[in-house]
Amino acid sequence: MIAVIGGSGMKQLPGLEVTHRQMMRTPYGEPSSPLIFGTINGHEVVFLSRHGHGHTIAPHMVNYRANIWALCTLKVRCVIAVASVGGIRANLTPGTIIIPDQIIDYTYNRRFTYFEDTDRQVVHTDFTQPYCTDTRTRLLESARQAGEKIFDGGVYAATQGPRLETIAEINRLERDGADMVGMTGMPEAILARELGLSYATIATVANYAAGRGDSQDSIPLQAVFATLEKSMVNVRNILNHLVKNDVH
């Protein structure tokens, strides 16, 4: 079974034939929303809305540990995280879809690990490649089959939010090597790695980052929402092909 975590722009998964909904409890509290189980073309899929019903949970308030733990208990084959980002790199224009391969964490005060018990030996998780190579490859191949243009690779800068960044902050991120900026990439990715889940992100560029493109003075939020709505059609097309290719 494939798990999809929906972010801004994907509050539900169109095309999913829902069989049931389940609210799960974990040692870390309740996930952001009920898990929605169903099928796409006869293949089992579970969907979780990262920001909750009605998009009411801010990025820094998401219970990432509960979300990932709940999916792990279901023994899903892979987790696809859908995210919206701001484009820093010049060719990452609004509407672009990209599969990042690296991440830089600028978040703080988030519950970022499962290894907190002082009576256990310290665990150092290998995070050299933060996204599952096999799952990334499957996403790229699904995009090719779907006829969707997609960028392979890029550095995701995970910022705290919920505010957007200043031009100076984006300039700093660019100097650090970031290609895009978002608010939910961490600690979601490392928590998935700690539990041994195959995890990858499919990101849609919702807007130019501050100081880039037409975002010299401000970011046009209405245009952002329109771009997300349009690009999510392409994302769903890719996900449908990924599910179709899933081997039971």
Side-chain angles (χ1 to χ4, degrees):
M1 179 167 58
I2 289 176
V4 176
I5 300 177
S8 298
M10 184 174 279
K11 302 172 188 176
Q12 56 186 353
L13 188 57
L16 180 68
E17 297 182 13
V18 177
T19 56
H20 66 286
R21 294 172 172 82
Q22 180 180 346
M23 194 67 208
M24 298 183 66
R25 296 185 182 277
T26 79
Y28 307 96
E30 294 185 350
S32 297
S33 68
L35 278 70
I36 302 177
F37 296 82
T39 60
I40 295 178
N41 297 323
H43 295 262
E44 290 185 313
V45 177
V46 58
F47 178 78
L48 173 64
S49 178
R50 183 188 290 117
H51 296 285
H53 179 70
H55 202 272
T56 57
I57 306 174
H60 67 296
M61 297 298 292
V62 171
N63 192 340
Y64 295 97
R65 294 198 299 180
N67 288 350
I68 296 299
W69 187 274
L71 295 178
C72 183
T73 62
L74 298 175
K75 295 180 170 52
V76 297
R77 261 186 296 283
C78 67
V79 178
I80 306 300
V82 180
S84 61
V85 297
I88 300 175
R89 200 170 76 202
N91 62 347
L92 295 186
T93 57
T96 300
I97 300 174
I98 184 168
I99 310 296
D101 63 344
Q102 283 294 324
I103 195 165
I104 305 175
D105 186 10
Y106 298 93
T107 65
Y108 50 89
N109 294 335
R110 298 187 183 190
R111 307 302 294 270
F112 59 88
T113 183
Y114 293 109
F115 302 120
E116 292 186 331
D117 295 335
T118 56
D119 59 344
R120 296 173 58 186
Q121 185 175 0
V122 175
V123 176
H124 300 288
T125 304
D126 183 5
F127 208 46
T128 306
Q129 300 294 339
Y131 301 104
C132 174
T133 301
D134 177 64
T135 302
R136 287 189 70 259
T137 299
R138 291 170 61 195
L139 275 172
L140 292 166
E141 175 60 20
S142 297
R144 186 193 66 78
Q145 293 176 0
E148 299 289 355
K149 182 180 178 181
I150 200 166
F151 281 88
D152 178 4
V155 179
Y156 179 121
T159 57
Q160 180 72 357
R163 69 166 178 84
L164 298 173
E165 301 74 29
T166 67
I167 292 176
E169 287 170 331
I170 293 299
N171 290 342
R172 173 202 174 193
L173 299 184
E174 185 173 41
R175 290 193 298 270
D176 286 350
D179 300 302
M180 70 201 85
V181 58
M183 301 175 187
T184 58
M186 288 292 285
E188 198 172 84
I190 184 57
L191 292 171
R193 177 60 54 83
E194 286 185 351
L195 295 184
L197 289 172
S198 298
Y199 173 98
T201 291
I202 180 168
T204 62
V205 179
N207 54 275
Y208 291 106
R212 305 298 184 270
D214 57 7
S215 299
Q216 297 295 325
D217 296 318
S218 63
I219 294 176
L221 295 181
Q222 290 303 318
V224 168
F225 299 140
T227 298
L228 275 178
E229 184 175 356
K230 182 178 179 180
S231 60
M232 283 303 162
V233 174
N234 308 102
V235 171
R236 290 195 295 267
N237 190 21
I238 295 170
L239 292 177
N240 285 343
H241 279 76
L242 179 73
V243 171
K244 184 171 66 175
N245 296 332
D246 187 36
V247 179
H248 290 280

